[in-house]
Amino acid sequence: MFNDLASKEYIRNYWSNDANSYNRSILSTMQSQKARNAWQELFTEVLGEKDLSILDVGTGPGVIALLLAELGHNVTGMDYSYEMLSNAKKNALAYGLPVEFRQGDAENLPFQDGLFDAVVNRHVLWIVTKPEKAISEWQRVLKPGGRIVIVDGNWYRNEESLKRNVWQYLSKFLILVTEHRDPRVEDLDKEFKEKLWSVKAKRPDLDVNFLANAGFKDIRVMNNIRSRTQSWLEYLKNGYWGDIFLVTGTKQ
Ligand SMILES: C[S@@+](CC[C@H](N)C(=O)[O-])C[C@H]1O[C@@H](n2cnc3c(N)ncnc32)[C@H](O)[C@@H]1O
């Protein structure tokens, strides 16, 4: 059932259906100065302080794009889902930050070669159907010397463990009480999940291989991003998903 086209449509619908709930959850980052600073410090550590032209692929509600724009970068946020982009545009207006948003596919970017100083993405690579195709596209739109930044996690590792399941219940209760939103996360379709490359992958080791095979240099991995960027309450709500890592490299 899940050929490439069906997978893409499934992904688009999955995120579009979840767009409003995801927006409410993720805006907690914008509402906490500590969280904003933590993400901005992380990206500054990797990208430097010079003003850059940056593409945020799979921008969703646009939080990373907005944080980068607040640092003075010239940012374009791109997503496959119109519903996600609609929230992203509202968020940019609400925070008065100048980000341009475009609809498009991470594996077929609507941009010319060599346009950006950096291509960043958070929690996106795991869900694309062809990760190597996506990375080669991100590389194509980078200028020589430009940086790729992948932030992601092993979301479905240890899914059967008792600790993870108990924690997930606690998390749902906390989300209901503190965010007043429906804490249910729609499960991925079983057949889709079985075909998804990232579910059984050993990451970030595989990401390093992807970047090395594509010819990136200065490849670097940073771990423990969750503890660096989340308050204890956010950690209690989201930590059952496991740690977050960052992988970066430079286009030759
Ligand atoms: C978990 S959300 C992450 C959103 C945002 N990067 C963040 O960190 O808050 C994943 C996003 O990736 C987008 N996405 C998934 N596959 C995509 C693709 N092939 N092209 C563009 N966007 C995609 C989804 O629509 C969704 O907005």
Side-chain angles (χ1 to χ4, degrees), residues 8 11-12 14-16 18-19 22 26 39 56-65 78-82 84-85 103-109 120-129 134 138 151 155:
K8 283 272 168 65
I11 291 168
R12 195 209 299 258
Y14 178 85
W15 290 109
S16 295
D18 195 40
Y22 190 82
I26 220 73
W39 281 106
D56 179 27
V57 181
T59 192
V63 166
I64 294 300
M78 198 212 76
D79 203 280
Y80 206 35
S81 155
Y82 288 101
M84 284 284 186
L85 287 172
Q103 196 275 342
D105 179 2
E107 295 169 50
N108 252 313
L109 295 177
V120 307
N121 52 93
R122 185 180 74 165
H123 308 170
V124 176
L125 189 60
W126 72 278
I127 191 90
V128 305
T129 50
W138 305 349
V151 179
W155 313 121

Side-chain angles (χ1 to χ4, degrees), residues 31-45:
Q31 287 147 4
S32 152
Q33 194 56 51
K34 214 169 157 190
R36 282 163 85 147
N37 290 348
W39 281 106
Q40 287 178 325
E41 276 162 22
L42 181 67
F43 276 101
T44 301
E45 199 175 311

Side-chain angles (χ1 to χ4, degrees), residues 9 86 235:
E9 272 321 291
S86 154
Y235 181 73

Side-chain angles (χ1 to χ4, degrees), residues 56-139:
D56 179 27
V57 181
T59 192
V63 166
I64 294 300
L66 297 185
L67 291 176
L68 292 169
E70 197 174 38
L71 287 172
H73 300 297
N74 180 3
V75 189
T76 303
M78 198 212 76
D79 203 280
Y80 206 35
S81 155
Y82 288 101
E83 283 76 2
M84 284 284 186
L85 287 172
S86 154
N87 284 324
K89 286 175 192 164
K90 284 185 207 149
N91 294 336
L93 265 180
Y95 285 91
L97 290 164
V99 175
E100 189 189 327
F101 290 104
R102 290 273 296 269
Q103 196 275 342
D105 179 2
E107 295 169 50
N108 252 313
L109 295 177
F111 302 104
Q112 69 195 60
D113 298 1
L115 199 57
F116 298 100
D117 298 304
V119 173
V120 307
N121 52 93
R122 185 180 74 165
H123 308 170
V124 176
L125 189 60
W126 72 278
I127 191 90
V128 305
T129 50
K130 293 192 179 135
E132 285 165 292
K133 170 82 168 64
I135 287 171
S136 97
E137 270 295 274
W138 305 349
Q139 182 179 36

